[in-house]
Amino acid sequence: MQQSTRGVVSDANKGREDLQVNQLETQIWIKPDIQKTDVDFSEILNAIQEIAKDVNIFFDELEGVNSPSKDDDSLLHHGNLTSTSDDASRLEVVGEEVPDKNKTNGLYFRDGKCRIDYILVYRKSNPQTEKREVFERNIRAEGLQMEKESSLTNSDIIFVKLHAPWEVLGKYAELMNVRMPFRRKIYYLHRRYKFMNRIEKQISRFRGWLPRKPMKLDKETLPDLEENDCYTAPFSQQRIHHFIIHNKDTFFNNATRSRIVHHILQRVKYEEGKNKIGLNRLLSNGSYEAAFPLHEGSYRSKNSIKTHGAENHRHLLYECWASWGVWYKYQPLDLVRRYFGEKIGLYFAWLGWYTGMLFPAAFIGLFVFLYGVTTLNHCQVSKEVCQATDIIMCPICDKYCPFMRLSDSCIYAKVTHLFDNGATVFFAVFMAVWATVFLEFWKRRRAVIAYDWDLIDWEEEEEEIRPQFEAKYSKKERMNPISGKPEPYQAFADKCSRLIVSASGIFFMICVVIAAVFGIVIYRVVTVSTFAAFKWALIRNNSQVATTGTAVCINFCIIMLLNVLYEKVALFLTNLEQPRTESEWENSFTLKMFLFQFVNLNSSTFYIAFFLGRFTGHPGAYLRLINRWRLEECHPSGCLIDLCMQMGIIMVLKQTWNNFMELGYPLIQNWWTRRKLRQEYGTQGKTRFPQWEKDYNLQPMNAYGLFDEYLEMILQFGFTTIFVAAFPLAPLLALLNNIIEIRLDAYKFVTQWRRPLASRAKDIGIWYGILEGIGILSVITNAFVIAVTSDFIPRLVYAYKYGPCAGQGEAGQKCMVGYVNASLSVFLVSDFENRSEPTSNGSEFSGSPLKYCRYRDYRDPPHSPVPYGYTLQFWHVLAARLAFIIVFEHLVFCIKHLISYLIPDLPKDLRDRMRREKYLIQEMMYEAELERLQKERKERKKNGKSYHNEWP
C-alpha cells in the first residue's frame, strides 16, 4: 500500500500536464520507475488553449451565433442516447474492456465508462429553448460532459445526463475545500494499571454471557467507510501525492461528485446579464422541469444480503436502515451521511438522539402512571368522592343539567389520581432537567459527529443573493465589504416598514387562532346543555365528557385546516420581507411557521389548562359570554381530566395523521404512476426503464427540505415537555411514535423520493434555539399546571393547616380525611337565577325538594355575614400557589443552569483527539513533503542535473 502510494506521489509531479490532457477516469496504476516522456507538453497545452478559446462562450457574441438547436428532434431518438460531448475530450485506452453491466444499469453514459453525476429534465415543447442552449454550451465549456436521451414514456421529455471528468472534479474540489483522506489514523491505547486491567477482564468475561449487542449492526454487512478511518485535509492538486488514491473513479464518492456538479451548475450563465446565472433560476422560470442526482440502482435484490452482499449503497440502506426488521438497531449514520449528505445525516442523528433520550423520560412517566395505579385504592380523596352519596352537587349548566351525587364522578376521580398524584411534582422537575440534559448532551454528540464528518473547520460559503431580492433592488447598489463587488441594497426604512407589516400579519393570524379557540369555547358552552337534554341516557349522564371529546375532535379538524392557511400566509409574509439570501428566507419562514403552528396546536390546551373553570363565578352569580352563555365549569373531580383528554387525543391523532401523510401520499402517487406504466408497457416494462426514468417517476423532496420533518418533531417535543405534568404518558407516546418515525422517514428517503442533493451543515440550525425556548417555556407552564390546574397545592395546604394533622408536620393519606368536604362550598337552591334554575327540584334524591347543593370553591355559606365571600382558606391556597410557582421556577432554572455549566460542549477526549490530530497532520504533511523533495533530489542527481536554493 505504501509503495503504490509513493508511486502516485512521484508521478503526480512528473505527469501533472498529462492529467490536464487526458480526461480518462479509468484506474491508473503508476510505478516509480516510469521513464520520463519526450512529449513536448508546451505544444499540447497551447493547442488545448486554442480549442478552449473556440469552445468558450462570450455573451456579447450570442446574437450572432447560428448554431443548430440542441433540442432538435434530429439529435434524439426514442430510447437511444446521443452524446453531445466532444469525442476528443474522452480518449479511450486501447484494450480496455467496459463491463456490460455499466451499459445497462442506467448509471453510466452509453460508453459504460462515464458515470452519470447529475440529471436535468426539460420538455421540448417548453419555449425557453435559447436559455437552455446557452446554459448547456457553458456547461460544456466548464469541462462537464453531456448526453441527452428522450423518455421512453413521453417523447416530449428530455433527460440531460452530466458527467464530471477527473480534472473538473479536482479543480472544483480544491475551490470548494472538499476534505479527502490522505493517511490512515493511528490509534493509541492509554496506559492502564494492572488493577484496571483485571477489572476489565472480569467485565469482558461477564459480557461474554450476555447477548452480543443486538442493537448494533453486523460489521460484515456494512462497508468499510475509509474516510472515517483516515485523516483528512482539503483537497489540493499541488499536493495530490499526499492523498490515498486507489482508483480515480471512486476517490470522490457519488454524493461528492453530485455536489461538485451542482456547484458548477449554480454558477453557469444562461443569458447575457450579471444576474442571469444559476440552475435555480432556470428551474423557477420553467426552463428545466427537474434536476436531481441518481440513486445508485435498485433498493431490492433477488439475492439475500447476508449471502451475496449488497448490490449498492441504496440496497444496503434499505436492508440495514429502512427495513422494519431492523427497527430496534442503531442507525448506520455514516452510511446515511455518505449517501444523502451531512445535512440529512444530522437530522437523523438528532432524531435518533432524541428518541434515545426519550427512553428514561418514558420510563419515569410510566412509573408515575403505575404509581397512581398502585396507590389508587389507598387514595383518601378518591375514596371520599366514591363514598359521598349524600353530597348533592349543583348543576353544571343552565336549566337542563340535573343535580348529581358527588359519588357519580367516582370514575373520574380515580382516573384523575392516575395522573395527579404525589409523584407528579417530581416528574415535572425531572422533565425540566431532562430537557436541559437532552440539549446539553446533544451539543456534545453534535461535536463528535462534526469531528467524525470533518465539519469542525467547515464554514458555509458566502451565499448568493436571492433572484427576487436582485430584481426588487437592482437599481440601488453598494459595495460588499467581503467580496468588494457591487450588490443590490435594501434601504433601512424599506426593511423596517416591511418587517412592521409582516409582524402585523403575524399578530392578525394569532388573533385568528384566538377567535377559533373562542368558537370552540362557545361550542362547549352550548353543547353541554344540549347533551344534558339528550335522549340517550349514556350521553345524557356523561354530557361533560361528550362535550370535551367532540370539542377536541372539532379542534383537531380546525387545526389541520388552519395549518394549510398558515403555510400560505407565512410564505406571503416571508416573501414580503424580501430576505437577502436563501438562509435568511429559510430562517424567517421557519420561525413564522413554527409560531403559527405552535399557537394553533396549543392555544386550546392553554385555555383548558389555565382558564377553564377559573372565571365562572358561583351559583346565583355566574359570569356569562355576551351576557348570554354561562361559562363552562370543571368536572366535580377537577379540570385535569379535560386537559388529559385534550393532550391524549390531539397527540395521538396528529402523530397518526402526520405519519399517514408522510408515507401515504408518496406511496399513493408512486403507485398511481406505476399503475399507468403497467397498463401501457406491461408488468415487465418498469424493469426495462433506465435509472433516470425510474427516479424521475419518484416524488421530489419537499420544497422546504427537512422543514416538515423538523417541525413535526419540535411540536412533539413541545407536547412532551410543556404540559407533561398533566399527562405523564406523553414521553411514552412520543417514544413509540419516533421508533416508527425513524423507519418511515428512512423508507421514504430510500424508496419513495428522488435522491436529494447531498448538502453540508454543521448543526440543526435555528431549530436548536427553538428547542431552548420550549425548554424554558416548559418550566413555567409545568409550574402553573401543578399550582393552578391540579389539586396538589390545595391538598398540601389542607394537610398542613386544616386537616387532622394540622401543625404536626405530616402530610400522609390519613391527614387528608375530610378534604373533599372542606373543598366544597354550600349554595342555597332558592338563590338560583331564573335563567339558571334547573327544571328538576332534586326530589329524586331525598323525596323532597333540595334546599342546598354543593360546588367546588372556597366561599362562605349563604347565611354568613358576607354570603358567598371568599374564605381564609382560599387566600391561603392562593398564596401557596404563587409561592410554589416562584420557588419551583427558581429551583428548576438554577438546576438547569448548573447542569448547563457543568456539562462542557466539547468532550475532553474529543478535544485531546482534535489537538493530537492537528499535530499529526502537520507532521505527516512535513514528512511527505520532505520525502518528495529528497526523492526529486536523488532523481536529479541520477540525471546529472544541478539544483539550487533547495531545502532541506
Side-chain angles (χ1 to χ4, degrees):
M1 174 62 200
Q2 189 173 3
Q3 293 296 329
S4 62
T5 305
R6 290 179 179 176
V8 175
V9 168
S10 64
D11 183 70
N13 295 300
K14 288 195 299 179
R16 190 171 291 111
E17 288 119 349
D18 285 337
L19 292 176
Q20 295 175 352
V21 178
N22 188 1
Q23 296 185 1
L24 283 175
E25 289 193 72
T26 55
Q27 185 175 357
I28 300 175
W29 297 98
I30 304 173
K31 297 184 179 180
D33 58 350
I34 292 180
Q35 297 298 323
K36 195 173 182 181
T37 180
D38 295 328
V39 178
D40 190 356
F41 289 102
S42 61
E43 296 179 2
I44 297 177
L45 291 175
N46 291 334
I48 291 175
Q49 292 175 358
E50 292 296 325
I51 294 173
K53 289 179 180 179
D54 295 336
V55 176
N56 193 18
I57 303 299
F58 294 94
F59 287 99
D60 54 353
E61 298 177 0
L62 281 176
E63 295 181 358
V65 175
N66 294 320
S67 60
S69 174
K70 300 300 174 186
D71 295 343
D72 190 2
D73 291 342
S74 62
L75 297 178
L76 293 168
H77 301 282
H78 187 75
N80 293 330
L81 301 176
T82 302
S83 174
T84 61
S85 60
D86 191 17
D87 293 336
S89 66
R90 290 186 284 114
L91 304 178
E92 296 186 1
V93 177
V94 178
E96 183 182 5
E97 295 183 0
V98 179
D100 294 336
K101 185 179 179 181
N102 289 359
K103 297 181 180 181
T104 59
N105 60 8
L107 300 176
Y108 291 82
F109 279 14
R110 194 167 189 177
D111 59 7
K113 302 175 185 177
C114 300
R115 188 176 186 90
I116 300 173
D117 297 321
Y118 213 81
I119 292 290
L120 302 177
V121 186
Y122 68 89
R123 292 181 181 270
K124 289 191 294 183
S125 58
N126 189 283
Q128 306 284 349
T129 303
E130 185 177 353
K131 293 180 180 179
R132 283 197 304 270
E133 289 180 8
V134 176
F135 186 71
E136 291 171 5
R137 290 191 195 120
N138 286 311
I139 288 175
R140 293 193 297 274
E142 289 290 336
L144 296 180
Q145 298 174 11
M146 183 188 305
E147 282 186 352
K148 291 186 178 181
E149 182 175 356
S150 60
S151 172
L152 294 175
T153 59
N154 188 350
S155 59
D156 188 43
I157 298 176
I158 305 300
F159 295 97
V160 181
K161 299 175 286 184
L162 301 178
H163 167 75
W166 169 259
E167 292 77 12
V168 177
L169 293 173
K171 172 186 174 182
Y172 281 94
E174 185 172 359
L175 292 175
M176 296 168 63
N177 289 324
V178 177
R179 299 181 70 90
M180 301 303 295
F182 73 94
R183 187 70 62 88
R184 288 194 174 275
K185 291 183 179 180
I186 303 173
Y187 297 96
Y188 294 90
L189 296 177
H190 296 286
R191 184 178 178 182
R192 300 283 186 179
Y193 295 99
K194 292 183 178 180
F195 176 73
M196 295 298 297
N197 289 333
R198 292 175 183 173
I199 294 179
E200 289 182 357
K201 288 181 180 180
Q202 296 296 329
I203 293 175
S204 61
R205 183 180 301 176
F206 174 74
R207 285 178 178 175
W209 302 335
L210 300 177
R212 296 287 184 179
K213 297 181 180 179
M215 297 178 69
K216 286 195 174 183
L217 294 166
D218 298 333
K219 292 183 178 180
E220 298 178 356
T221 304
L222 291 175
D224 181 20
L225 301 181
E226 186 179 63
E227 57 264 33
N228 293 334
D229 296 325
C230 296
Y231 295 114
T232 60
F235 182 78
S236 173
Q237 291 181 318
Q238 298 295 328
R239 295 182 175 87
I240 194 173
H241 49 278
H242 291 170
F243 296 92
I244 304 174
I245 306 178
H246 302 307
N247 186 345
K248 289 187 177 181
D249 290 339
T250 58
F251 180 64
F252 296 104
N253 59 41
N254 295 333
T256 304
R257 296 172 68 100
S258 300
R259 185 156 53 89
I260 292 174
V261 173
H262 182 79
H263 177 87
I264 297 172
L265 296 179
Q266 291 296 91
R267 287 154 179 80
V268 172
K269 287 192 173 184
Y270 60 86
E271 198 174 78
E272 185 176 2
K274 62 180 180 180
N275 298 330
K276 308 298 184 180
I277 183 174
L279 175 63
N280 285 348
R281 291 178 174 87
L282 291 176
L283 289 171
S284 61
N285 64 27
S287 298
Y288 287 100
E289 190 172 299
F292 53 89
L294 285 180
H295 278 295
E296 298 181 7
S298 175
Y299 63 89
R300 294 185 182 274
S301 176
K302 298 179 180 178
N303 302 319
S304 173
I305 190 174
K306 295 182 179 180
T307 56
H308 293 75
E311 297 287 339
N312 49 64
H313 283 163
R314 189 187 185 193
H315 179 216
L316 184 61
L317 280 172
Y318 177 76
E319 295 290 342
C320 299
W321 183 47
S323 176
W324 292 106
V326 293
W327 64 270
Y328 60 94
K329 291 185 177 292
Y330 294 126
Q331 299 182 84
L333 293 177
D334 291 330
L335 192 59
V336 175
R337 171 246 181 171
R338 181 170 183 170
Y339 194 82
F340 292 110
E342 286 80 3
K343 193 170 186 177
I344 295 176
L346 272 172
Y347 162 71
F348 282 102
W350 175 84
L351 180 57
W353 182 257
Y354 170 46
T355 305
M357 289 293 291
L358 279 174
F359 274 97
F363 176 78
I364 299 297
L366 183 61
F367 170 79
V368 171
F369 179 78
L370 295 178
Y371 173 80
V373 173
T374 55
T375 59
L376 183 61
N377 295 329
H378 306 285
C379 178
Q380 181 64 31
V381 176
S382 59
K383 281 183 180 180
E384 290 185 0
V385 171
C386 294
Q387 296 171 2
T389 57
D390 57 338
I391 297 178
I392 308 301
M393 302 298 294
C394 297
I396 60 175
C397 67
D398 293 337
K399 292 187 178 181
Y400 299 107
C401 291
F403 295 98
M404 59 180 295
R405 287 189 175 91
L406 180 60
S407 59
D408 293 341
S409 60
C410 176
I411 296 178
Y412 303 115
K414 291 182 177 180
V415 172
T416 300
H417 176 75
L418 299 180
F419 302 100
D420 184 14
N421 51 62
T424 303
V425 178
F426 161 75
F427 185 59
V429 176
F430 170 81
M431 286 303 297
V433 174
W434 172 87
T436 302
V437 172
F438 162 66
L439 293 177
E440 291 301 320
F441 275 95
W442 164 247
K443 287 182 185 178
R444 296 166 61 87
R445 175 62 177 160
R446 188 206 64 82
V448 173
I449 292 175
Y451 170 77
D452 291 337
W453 292 356
D454 289 323
L455 299 173
I456 295 292
D457 299 325
W458 179 78
E459 294 293 338
E460 294 187 20
E461 302 176 0
E462 185 181 359
E463 290 191 82
E464 297 179 358
I465 299 175
R466 297 178 67 242
Q468 295 84 348
F469 185 88
E470 288 178 338
K472 181 70 176 177
Y473 302 103
S474 58
K475 296 181 180 179
K476 296 182 180 180
E477 291 185 345
R478 72 173 182 178
M479 299 297 293
N480 188 313
I482 299 176
S483 63
K485 298 179 181 179
E487 65 178 15
Y489 167 69
Q490 183 182 16
F492 179 76
D494 180 76
K495 186 174 183 178
C496 286
S497 62
R498 291 178 178 275
L499 288 176
I500 291 173
V501 174
S502 178
S504 302
I506 295 173
F507 178 75
F508 173 76
M509 294 308 300
I510 292 177
C511 291
V512 172
V513 177
I514 296 174
V517 174
F518 186 75
I520 295 295
V521 171
I522 294 177
Y523 168 83
R524 295 171 68 105
V525 169
V526 173
T527 52
V528 166
S529 301
T530 305
F531 284 141
F534 212 74
K535 295 181 180 180
W536 296 348
L538 179 63
I539 296 179
R540 186 172 61 251
N541 297 333
N542 299 277
S543 58
Q544 197 163 15
V545 176
T547 301
T548 302
T550 55
V552 171
C553 294
I554 293 175
N555 184 35
F556 174 76
C557 295
I558 293 176
I559 287 172
M560 302 310 297
L561 290 176
L562 288 179
N563 283 345
V564 179
L565 175 63
Y566 291 155
E567 182 175 347
K568 295 181 180 180
V569 173
L571 189 62
F572 172 77
L573 293 178
T574 306
N575 291 331
L576 181 66
E577 293 176 6
Q578 291 291 349
R580 180 176 173 273
T581 62
E582 289 294 338
S583 64
E584 292 178 4
W585 187 96
E586 182 179 345
N587 289 339
S588 178
F589 179 77
T590 298
L591 194 58
K592 290 181 182 62
M593 280 297 294
F594 169 76
L595 186 61
F596 287 157
Q597 295 218 19
F598 180 81
V599 173
N600 186 29
L601 191 64
N602 294 282
S603 55
S604 58
T605 310
F606 271 90
Y607 164 74
I608 293 174
F610 305 127
F611 297 99
L612 179 62
R614 309 296 168 198
F615 309 101
T616 58
H618 62 85
Y622 287 116
L623 297 178
R624 297 180 180 272
L625 286 175
I626 322 177
N627 198 27
R628 180 178 179 181
W629 293 300
R630 170 182 162 185
L631 291 175
E632 186 182 6
E633 291 186 36
C634 291
H635 196 273
S637 298
C639 294
L640 198 67
I641 187 66
D642 296 308
L643 185 58
C644 292
M645 288 181 61
Q646 173 80 12
M647 290 193 62
I649 293 175
I650 291 292
M651 195 169 184
V652 171
L653 287 180
K654 184 164 179 59
Q655 291 184 161
T656 305
W657 175 261
N658 287 338
N659 289 335
F660 172 76
M661 289 303 296
E662 281 187 8
L663 187 62
Y665 179 76
L667 277 174
I668 293 173
Q669 291 289 326
N670 292 333
W671 170 81
W672 183 255
T673 303
R674 290 195 301 269
R675 181 176 178 273
K676 292 193 297 184
L677 294 176
R678 197 181 302 114
Q679 290 178 350
E680 187 173 353
Y681 296 96
T683 56
Q684 299 298 325
K686 188 174 183 297
T687 59
R688 298 195 300 268
F689 290 156
Q691 189 63 41
W692 55 83
E693 190 100 26
K694 296 177 182 177
D695 286 5
Y696 177 71
N697 290 327
L698 296 177
Q699 295 300 306
M701 189 178 177
N702 293 335
Y704 308 126
L706 294 169
F707 170 79
D708 290 335
E709 278 71 21
Y710 273 118
L711 181 63
E712 179 188 355
M713 290 296 104
I714 298 301
L715 292 176
Q716 183 206 84
F717 179 80
F719 254 95
T720 306
T721 55
I722 292 178
F723 293 104
V724 72
F727 193 58
L729 293 180
L732 180 62
L733 294 179
L735 174 63
L736 298 177
N737 174 79
N738 286 7
I739 292 174
I740 300 174
E741 180 75 21
I742 290 176
R743 305 305 163 181
L744 278 181
D745 285 348
Y747 184 83
K748 178 176 59 179
F749 271 93
V750 174
T751 67
Q752 302 302 312
W753 279 0
R754 296 173 191 164
R755 185 176 184 178
L757 182 70
S759 303
R760 291 173 70 84
K762 294 183 68 172
D763 49 35
I764 61 176
I766 194 175
W767 297 109
Y768 185 84
I770 293 175
L771 287 171
E772 286 187 325
I774 292 176
I776 295 173
L777 180 62
S778 67
V779 177
I780 301 172
T781 54
N782 281 305
F784 275 89
V785 166
I786 296 172
V788 177
T789 310
S790 73
D791 289 337
F792 174 76
I793 298 299
R795 292 175 185 175
L796 207 62
V797 171
Y798 178 81
Y800 285 102
K801 184 68 176 175
Y802 297 97
C805 304
Q808 300 179 12
E810 297 182 9
Q813 291 297 327
K814 64 179 181 179
C815 301
M816 298 304 297
V817 176
Y819 167 76
V820 173
N821 186 61
S823 64
L824 298 176
S825 299
V826 179
F827 178 73
L828 186 62
V829 174
S830 60
D831 291 341
F832 268 122
E833 300 173 301
N834 292 331
R835 53 182 171 178
S836 298
E837 188 173 358
T839 55
S840 64
N841 57 9
S843 57
E844 64 271 15
F845 295 103
S846 60
S848 60
L850 286 176
K851 293 183 178 181
Y852 300 97
C853 64
R854 310 292 293 272
Y855 61 98
R856 281 173 57 92
D857 209 341
Y858 297 100
R859 292 182 181 270
D860 291 324
H863 302 295
S864 62
V866 183
Y868 307 117
Y870 287 117
T871 63
L872 183 62
Q873 188 175 356
F874 169 82
W875 299 108
H876 285 164
V877 171
L878 180 62
R881 282 174 168 168
L882 295 178
F884 175 83
I885 291 173
I886 295 173
V887 172
F888 182 89
E889 288 182 356
H890 283 71
L891 176 64
V892 174
F893 278 130
C894 288
I895 296 175
K896 285 169 68 71
H897 287 297
L898 179 63
I899 292 175
S900 178
Y901 174 77
L902 294 177
I903 301 177
D905 295 343
L906 204 64
K908 184 179 182 303
D909 58 339
L910 178 61
R911 189 184 297 111
D912 295 340
R913 286 166 59 192
M914 291 170 59
R915 291 175 178 173
R916 177 161 184 79
E917 178 173 332
K918 186 176 181 180
Y919 168 77
L920 290 176
I921 288 175
Q922 292 176 349
E923 291 292 321
M924 292 175 186
M925 286 289 189
Y926 174 79
E927 292 176 1
E929 193 68 21
L930 181 63
E931 184 180 358
R932 181 184 67 83
L933 292 175
Q934 289 177 347
K935 189 170 292 185
E936 286 185 358
R937 175 181 291 182
K938 291 180 181 179
E939 290 179 356
R940 290 184 180 183
K941 283 184 178 180
K942 290 181 180 179
N943 298 330
K945 291 186 178 182
S946 60
Y947 53 90
H948 303 282
N949 300 327
E950 293 189 2
W951 65 277

